[in-house]
């Protein structure tokens, strides 16, 4: 293999590209704690431009607000690692693309930044579909534990890729 990405990420990305291509769907992602890992996995697949439209890496709160339109009140009230923020990121990704489905990822990869309520390894995901009711929130929190920064990011990327599959559920 000539790619620096873990094999399981590349395999998951290939499945996302193949299954969405078969359905004629375009996908987009908004990444925070994964820092572009999902986008890198998707673009490692030849022909991914048939399916993958855009990836936003919005690591800071300012980027979440300026690139995706996340309201500052959401960030101040709920924090960057919250269902409200993840949902706003997913919706903002659809608003700023022509993709059919978007997935967002925001979390705490560590080793610092955790708290009692949001420990290291806490990652929040949301998925939005064009044309669906925006009040129908599809989001979830996963607790991976303190596996280390790299493994948390890989696990989060794998969950995000799974959510990009047609028919995937949280």
């Amino acid at each position: 293999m000539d790619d620096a990405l873990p094999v399981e990420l590349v395999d998951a990305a290939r499945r996302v590209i193949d299954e969405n291509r078969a359905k004629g769907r375009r996908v987009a992602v908004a990444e925070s704690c994964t820092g572009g890992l999902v986008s890198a996995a998707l673009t490692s697949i030849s022909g991914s431009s048939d399916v993958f439209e855009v990836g936003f890496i919005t690591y800071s709160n300012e980027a979440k607000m300026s690139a995706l339109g996340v309201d500052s009140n959401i960030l101040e009230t709920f924090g960057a690692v919250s269902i409200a923020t993840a949902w706003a990121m997913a919706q903002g990704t659809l608003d700023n693309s022509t993709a059919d489905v978007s997935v967002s990822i925001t979390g705490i990869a560590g080793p610092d930044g955790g708290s009692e309520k949001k420990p290291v390894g806490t990652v929040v995901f949301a998925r939005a579909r064009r044309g669906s009711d925006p009040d129908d929130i599809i989001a979830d929190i996963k607790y991976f534990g303190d596996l280390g920064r790299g493994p948390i990011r890989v696990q989060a990327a794998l969950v995000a890729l799974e959510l990009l599959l047609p028919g995937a559920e949280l």
Side-chain angles (χ1 to χ4, degrees), residues 114-136:
S115 68
E116 189 174 317
K117 289 185 179 183
K118 296 178 186 176
V120 169
T122 302
V123 183
V124 186
F125 303 87
R127 182 182 59 219
R129 291 183 180 152
R130 188 162 306 283
S132 67
D133 183 347
D135 292 330
D136 183 18

Side-chain angles (χ1 to χ4, degrees), residues 30-108:
E31 302 184 64
S32 186
C33 67
T34 49
L37 194 54
V38 176
S39 298
L42 290 168
T43 59
S44 74
I45 307 303
S46 179
S48 61
S49 60
D50 294 344
V51 172
F52 181 57
E53 182 176 324
V54 65
F56 295 94
I57 302 170
T58 55
Y59 206 68
S60 71
N61 287 349
E62 291 76 18
K64 289 171 181 64
M65 291 185 291
S66 65
L68 300 175
V70 175
D71 191 293
S72 63
N73 291 325
I74 290 173
L75 291 162
E76 290 167 14
T77 303
F78 301 102
V81 181
S82 66
I83 285 179
T85 296
W87 181 242
M89 289 170 65
Q91 284 297 125
T93 300
L94 284 185
D95 293 345
N96 289 286
S97 73
T98 60
D100 301 299
V101 63
S102 69
V103 167
S104 66
I105 310 108
T106 183
I108 305 164

Side-chain angles (χ1 to χ4, degrees), residues 12-29 42 47-53 99-103 127-129 160-168:
R14 183 172 287 107
R15 190 170 163 221
V16 167
I17 297 300
D18 291 346
E19 290 187 26
N20 280 288
R21 182 183 290 124
K23 296 278 187 184
R25 289 189 347 164
R26 306 257 315 147
V27 303
V29 297
L42 290 168
S48 61
S49 60
D50 294 344
V51 172
F52 181 57
E53 182 176 324
D100 301 299
V101 63
S102 69
V103 167
R127 182 182 59 219
R129 291 183 180 152
L161 288 166
E162 184 74 23
L163 289 172
L164 286 170
L165 292 170

